[in-house]
Amino acid sequence: MELGLSRFGDLKLNICFGGNMADSDQVQFGRDDRYSRHRFAFSGTAKEYFGIWIVNVLLTIITLGIYSAWAKVRRNRYLYGNTALADGRFDYHARPIQILIGQIIVIGFLILYNIILSLLPALGLILVLVFIVAFPWLIARGLRFNARVTSYRNVRFDFIGQYWGAAKAFFLGPLVAGITLGICAPIASRWMLRYTLGNLRYGGRAIKTEPTLGDLYGVWWLPALLTFGGWLLTIVIILPVLVAQITLLSESPGAVAGPLGNLTTIVLMYFLLFVVGSVVLSLYSAGVRNVGYSATTFDGRHYLLSDMPRWQFVWVVISNLIVTIATLGLMRPWATIRMARFQAAHTEMGFDGEVGEILSTIKDTGSAVGAEFMDIEGIAVAF
Amino acid sequence: MHSDPQPIAGIWYPEQSNRSVRASLVAKGANLAVLAEDGALLTSGFISNTIVTDRIGNVLRRLTLANGSVFETPDNDAVDALVVVAKGGRAGWIHHAERFHPRLIIFAILAILFIIGIYRFALPALVELAVAVTPPVVPELMAKGALQTLDATTFDTTTLSTDEQSKLREGFERLTARSGLEAGKFGLEFRQGGLIGPNAFALPDGTVVITDELVKFADGDTELLLGVLAHEVGHVELEHSLRQLYRSVGAAGLIMVIGGDIGSGTEDILVQGGGLLALSYSRAQETDADRHSVRLMLKAGYDPEAIGRFFTLLESKLHDDSGTSILATHPGTPERRRAVHEYAQKLQSSN
């Protein structure tokens, strides 16, 4: 169980999910009347999405996984296409074949790697090194792909992040956060936000993200305290219980109930750690999203804002997970829609002026559109 | 003949532009025209070279004309009708399947049955197939690589006397001669264990490695060591390492394939659960190898319960009397000792 505070998977999802296009530092620009403020709106329904989801799952199984590329496009087109801001909507333009090629490459590499690792462990290690060196590049390409296949009002996003930025955000960041036992997690989060959000472009206009460390530490201390409390609880209460149980077992070897009791404790502990870990991570990731989005500006004039109540977010995450498991996954579509609604409802764009006027001056730069066809989505599969 | 359809209301974007214009799409035969609200012609094209996105739920349909401009509309039914007239056939059978309908219940049941079926039957069958088609050179290379790595990192040359070695070698040959495979496939290697301590393990090509520490641990009881070696011979005969490898690859692939649609939290749980299942599979393999040891020792004229003596020794010397845990690769030692005893009794009484 990782209790580290440096897991950014969810953050990445939000980014591709289109919540992040935006503008302006709310603190800097205030909320005065010259801004036309628009909330994101998500209009998908669980009823409609269930059909899309179950057909995706079924066809993916029947086609031995090949359909998963088509499934991904249909899923994302549904989710993006139901996300609206002002009078415009988002859209997802990836072609299934691009995703399929990416999947084949990733799976091929994994198979090759496993074979080589079994046959010639030394060469396998070299392959790991090659992969580590290539990893930031793959991340940058994957983020660029995701940005370029995303559009809002017929204009594409682009991503201009490079190799070293990815290395800093995805390698150095988790390393620094891990070595300092999470104390430096806000520094890592800052790198991550600046890289993934700050390198986005929309119609050639810059998106800038400058979260302050003060704000990030502001959302850090509560999950940090909870983590600390969780470990203290583990050491003070759970460990003695476990030790007692083990002692009990060794005194009565062969007791039939013994192994069962032992097993129950382990499973319970594991479950407890999982729940505490999920709460802490969700709490922190919600805080980072709020800080990061709210420190983001578009074209230097328009602001983005995220005001998710953190405990409500935790509640949505945990209850979604419980409902999904309890229904053998069948309520997963409901959970997805619920989360999308929640996030959209707590994300806002403030336009400096009238939105139609501002947006109608923006044009696709062309570079994003043309280059997309050279891209494949490799790394996103491996995340 | 079809009459030309009604104009479709929507929004029109010039190529690569954000400037939206309220517009309507009019189809006349194979021609399309996009008209502004005042009736002025914005653009025109042909249905045949217009790209129409697939229908997904209530999401806006996008029609990209040959000149790159885009017409967007929420009127999915009208676009469907247009596509049917222009291109013939039915539009979007996948969308039809996805619609909210009692048939979705059948889909859900099918999906669950398929997943259970794949895990229970297809995956083991695929593993068997993969094991069957794997050329013998693969396990040989695997074994060579593993032994080289261990030699370089933790092993040292054995310090056992030639007397001790030949005693074990003799017994080992007697065992392998009675195994299901030809005796030449097997080989016995002695090593000083270093980090891995008292241990014995089988490599997939038939090489069995036993550490000096284990020999010393047995304290002169050669038959006990032969019981352990018979257990390792069992791993080789039953091709456990290849099975384990293919199984873990297969299970990971299965989770990965449906992963995108089940959400990251659920995927985490599945991966962890998959790990637990792999461990249970490993425990089943150990039990199989224990039973194999009993059979082989009996065939070779040794004490079939020799491996049970090893477990007794583990319990008394290392105080290893833990119960079976779902987090372990091997079953609990007392349990293994009892199982070996029961199996030996059964075999002997049936003879």
Side-chain angles (χ1 to χ4, degrees):
Chain A
M1 185 70 229
E2 289 171 51
L3 274 176
L5 294 169
S6 51
R7 213 219 241 176
F8 293 98
D10 291 340
L11 182 67
K12 188 193 75 99
L13 277 183
N14 298 341
I15 290 160
C16 332
F17 182 53
N20 63 319
M21 19 303 305
D23 324 79
S24 144
D25 190 324
Q26 185 233 344
V27 181
Q28 191 184 336
F29 291 84
R31 286 204 184 186
D32 67 60
D33 287 342
R34 72 193 169 106
Y35 289 102
S36 53
R37 294 161 52 191
H38 295 272
R39 285 268 149 179
F40 283 74
F42 184 78
S43 55
T45 62
K47 190 176 150 185
E48 200 172 46
Y49 183 55
F50 180 81
I52 295 167
W53 176 82
I54 194 72
V55 170
N56 276 351
V57 171
L58 196 60
L59 286 179
T60 300
I61 295 170
I62 291 173
T63 60
L64 303 176
I66 294 166
Y67 187 77
S68 67
W70 279 260
K72 179 171 187 169
V73 170
R74 288 187 81 80
R75 177 176 69 241
N76 281 343
R77 282 205 57 220
Y78 185 79
L79 296 176
Y80 286 37
N82 275 304
T83 306
L85 172 65
D87 62 345
R89 282 177 192 247
F90 293 88
D91 207 343
Y92 183 73
H93 301 260
R95 290 169 307 142
I97 207 78
Q98 292 171 298
I99 293 171
L100 186 66
I101 293 171
Q103 285 174 341
I104 289 171
I105 289 175
V106 168
I107 290 171
F109 181 85
L110 285 179
I111 291 173
L112 185 79
Y113 167 71
N114 272 300
I115 290 173
I116 290 183
L117 198 66
S118 302
L119 302 185
L120 304 156
L123 195 67
L125 286 180
I126 293 173
L127 216 59
V128 171
L129 281 180
V130 169
F131 183 68
I132 288 174
V133 170
F135 195 64
W137 182 79
L138 289 169
I139 287 178
R141 297 287 291 209
L143 288 171
R144 195 175 78 175
F145 178 84
N146 281 333
R148 287 182 174 181
V149 295
T150 303
S151 72
Y152 170 66
R153 283 182 53 136
N154 198 36
V155 170
R156 303 284 183 110
F157 286 83
D158 195 4
F159 182 82
I160 58 161
Q162 298 293 316
Y163 184 91
W164 292 111
K168 191 169 150 191
F170 287 86
F171 273 158
L172 198 59
L175 196 70
V176 165
I179 286 174
T180 58
L181 297 175
I183 291 168
C184 289
I187 296 176
S189 300
R190 189 163 182 237
W191 290 341
M192 181 64 73
L193 287 166
R194 281 159 90 173
Y195 183 72
T196 52
L197 280 179
N199 281 317
L200 280 172
R201 294 291 176 269
Y202 176 68
R205 312 281 174 99
I207 290 168
K208 255 168 103 179
T209 303
E210 290 299 339
T212 64
L213 276 181
D215 286 344
L216 284 168
Y217 270 102
V219 297
W220 170 85
W221 64 266
L222 184 59
L225 221 61
L226 283 175
T227 309
F228 185 70
W231 282 117
L232 215 63
L233 205 73
T234 308
I235 292 164
V236 172
I237 297 177
I238 297 171
L239 217 58
V241 170
L242 200 68
V243 169
Q245 200 128 28
I246 288 167
T247 328
L248 201 74
L249 276 170
S250 21
E251 277 163 8
S252 56
V256 184
L260 194 72
N262 193 4
L263 190 141
T264 317
T265 317
I266 290 172
V267 170
L268 266 179
M269 252 189 68
Y270 194 76
F271 184 74
L272 201 73
L273 277 179
F274 191 83
V275 169
V276 171
S278 304
V279 168
V280 167
L281 282 174
S282 310
L283 201 61
Y284 184 64
S285 72
V288 169
R289 183 191 198 262
N290 284 345
V291 169
Y293 281 24
S294 303
T296 297
T297 59
F298 170 59
D299 206 11
R301 295 161 54 207
H302 320 287
Y303 74 83
L304 181 70
L305 169 76
S306 166
D307 56 4
M308 293 197 306
R310 287 190 288 165
W311 283 107
Q312 254 182 57
F313 179 78
V314 170
W315 163 243
V316 172
V317 169
I318 300 288
S319 53
N320 270 356
L321 194 62
I322 291 170
V323 169
T324 302
I325 292 167
T327 57
L328 294 176
L330 288 177
M331 285 292 271
R332 174 68 206 166
W334 170 83
T336 304
I337 297 296
R338 181 168 168 237
M339 178 54 86
R341 273 182 194 279
F342 180 80
Q343 290 188 326
H346 291 104
T347 312
E348 181 183 295
M349 270 295 291
F351 291 97
D352 179 13
E354 202 273 312
V355 58
E357 252 170 60
I358 293 158
L359 289 177
S360 62
T361 62
I362 293 172
K363 273 205 150 208
D364 229 332
T365 48
S367 69
V369 183
E372 174 220 318
F373 297 101
M374 298 294 294
D375 269 335
I376 48 154
E377 184 202 49
I379 197 65
V381 190
F383 264 121
Chain B
M1 289 304 291
H2 295 277
S3 59
D4 285 323
Q6 293 289 307
I8 305 169
I11 285 173
W12 180 74
Y13 293 103
E15 186 188 4
Q16 295 188 4
S17 171
N18 201 326
R19 185 168 57 85
S20 61
V21 182
R22 261 179 222 281
S24 61
L25 182 80
V26 183
K28 270 207 170 86
N31 299 308
L32 291 177
V34 180
L35 305 176
E37 276 183 317
D38 59 9
L41 182 71
L42 292 167
T43 190
S44 62
F46 302 103
I47 293 184
S48 54
N49 58 13
T50 297
I51 301 164
V52 184
T53 54
D54 292 334
R55 181 168 185 174
I56 300 172
N58 64 0
V59 167
L60 296 186
R61 275 312 244 299
R62 198 176 61 234
L63 288 81
T64 310
L65 284 85
N67 62 14
S69 68
V70 172
F71 180 77
E72 231 177 43
T73 175
D75 194 347
N76 272 297
D77 289 333
V79 176
D80 278 345
L82 193 70
V83 172
V84 170
V85 170
K87 304 197 169 163
R90 289 170 53 203
W93 64 271
I94 289 182
H95 168 72
H96 186 72
E98 287 168 348
R99 267 194 280 204
F100 201 73
H101 186 273
R103 110 170 65 73
L104 291 182
I105 298 171
I106 298 169
F107 286 179
I109 293 168
L110 275 179
I112 291 171
L113 288 179
F114 274 143
I115 290 171
I116 294 171
I118 286 173
Y119 188 77
R120 287 287 299 279
F121 306 109
L123 191 60
L126 277 174
V127 168
E128 290 309 312
L129 182 72
V131 169
V133 300
T134 305
V137 64
V138 172
E140 275 163 34
L141 284 170
M142 273 168 73
K144 224 177 243 158
L147 194 57
Q148 271 171 4
T149 313
L150 283 168
D151 274 340
T153 51
T154 99
F155 283 166
D156 246 319
T157 32
T158 180
T159 56
L160 293 178
S161 68
T162 41
D163 186 40
E164 280 172 307
Q165 289 191 25
S166 63
K167 243 197 272 175
L168 280 169
R169 223 177 266 288
E170 218 171 274
F172 185 69
E173 272 155 26
R174 205 163 131 190
L175 287 172
T176 52
R178 284 160 184 82
S179 75
L181 301 170
E182 50 182 306
K185 193 175 165 22
F186 294 93
L188 184 61
E189 296 279 341
F190 298 93
R191 292 284 192 281
Q192 208 174 305
L195 286 173
I196 71 165
N199 216 328
F201 58 89
L203 294 169
D205 69 337
T207 307
V208 175
V209 180
I210 184 165
T211 67
D212 295 3
E213 289 88 337
L214 184 66
V215 176
K216 292 201 179 90
F217 183 71
D219 209 14
D221 188 348
T222 309
E223 201 174 34
L224 176 155
L225 291 172
L226 289 177
V228 175
L229 292 179
H231 168 100
E232 301 306 332
V233 167
H235 278 316
V236 176
E237 259 191 72
L238 302 170
E239 295 181 280
H240 280 161
S241 13
L242 268 187
R243 288 214 162 75
Q244 183 87 284
L245 175 73
Y246 287 136
R247 215 186 150 77
S248 56
V249 169
L254 189 64
I255 295 171
M256 212 164 116
V257 157
I258 57 168
D261 279 299
I262 55 174
S264 62
T266 323
E267 202 180 340
D268 277 352
I269 288 174
L270 269 187
V271 170
Q272 312 273 3
L276 287 183
L277 283 172
L279 288 176
S280 95
Y281 187 68
S282 157
R283 289 196 301 275
Q285 286 189 339
E286 293 305 325
T287 309
D288 282 349
D290 284 349
R291 291 160 78 97
H292 193 273
S293 166
V294 173
R295 281 196 303 270
L296 197 55
M297 291 293 277
L298 191 65
K299 259 198 251 174
Y302 293 116
D303 174 14
E305 281 194 59
I307 192 163
R309 299 219 294 272
F310 171 64
F311 297 140
T312 313
L313 201 61
L314 276 181
E315 284 172 69
S316 63
K317 268 202 184 172
L318 300 180
H319 304 290
D320 175 11
D321 45 13
S322 54
T324 298
S325 149
I326 57 163
L327 302 175
T329 57
H330 288 60
T333 304
E335 194 187 311
R336 287 175 81 183
R337 177 173 49 78
R338 276 196 301 279
V340 162
H341 177 69
E342 277 159 27
Y343 188 62
Q345 297 277 307
K346 211 178 87 186
L347 275 188
Q348 278 167 324
S349 66
S350 68
N351 281 347

